Amino acid sequence: MTTSSRIAVLTAVLLLATATATPALADDPPNSTSSSSPPPPIDANSPELMLPDGATLAPAKILDIKQVVEEQGGEQRREDTNVDVTFALQAEVLFGKDSAKLGPAATARIAAIAVEINKQNSSKVRVFGFTDNLGSYEHGLKLSKQRADAVQQELAKSLDPGKTFDIRGYSEDYPIADNSTEEGRTKNRRVEISFPRTSSGS
């Protein structure tokens, strides 16, 4: 076969390949696996979809649903689940900068939470303090625990007798927002008060 014949055959093959190839659609993403075939039929009477003889379904279970309500600006946040209630108060609402001394606005907020604890008739209350990631971790541990202690002491003044407390300081652990922004750090500087939801409470 001459060189010109080889070129002619190669050209014909390339033209044939170009003509039979399906062009990609402009809207198809790379590695698209779109298919025009219909979904497979499902047989409702298939034995693979039925319980074996003697088997029973598990009892119905209520899923844990969380409801979150946050004040504009995030100064206070309330989380309700089927199990417990958690209030998160921003540190700036309760304390001065780098301080564990409660400010004037703190008393009313803490007293309102005490009303809810008494209403739920909860016997155990958790008070946890948190800081942002600025400063040393050790300083954050000390400050967050001091703030939790201060809130617990104020809270106890308005609670019915017989409550037990779990009080902890966690420093920068367990952030709820991005510590790389001041807005996030403000949310992370907080004290959380949580208590079990009881059947006698509303």
Side-chain angles (χ1 to χ4, degrees), residues 48-128:
E48 295 178 0
L49 297 177
M50 298 181 183
L51 290 172
D53 290 340
T56 58
L57 290 173
K61 180 180 179 183
I62 298 176
L63 297 176
D64 192 14
I65 301 172
K66 179 185 287 188
Q67 178 183 13
V68 180
V69 178
E70 186 174 277
E71 285 186 8
Q72 191 172 7
E75 293 180 352
Q76 181 171 314
R77 189 182 76 251
R78 175 178 175 153
E79 293 183 5
D80 286 86
T81 71
N82 300 336
V83 178
D84 56 23
V85 180
T86 302
F87 286 90
L89 297 169
Q90 285 184 5
E92 280 77 358
V93 177
L94 303 174
F95 307 99
K97 185 175 181 181
D98 203 32
S99 170
K101 183 178 179 181
L102 289 169
T107 305
R109 286 183 180 268
I110 294 171
I113 295 172
V115 169
E116 184 66 24
I117 296 171
N118 289 331
K119 184 179 175 182
Q120 289 291 334
N121 198 26
S122 301
S123 59
K124 184 172 183 178
V125 181
R126 298 176 295 274
V127 185
F128 297 161

Side-chain angles (χ1 to χ4, degrees), residues 16 18-19 24 45 51-52 92 138 152 158:
L16 180 61
T18 303
N45 297 316
L51 290 172
E92 280 77 358
E138 292 71 22
Q152 181 273 328
S158 304

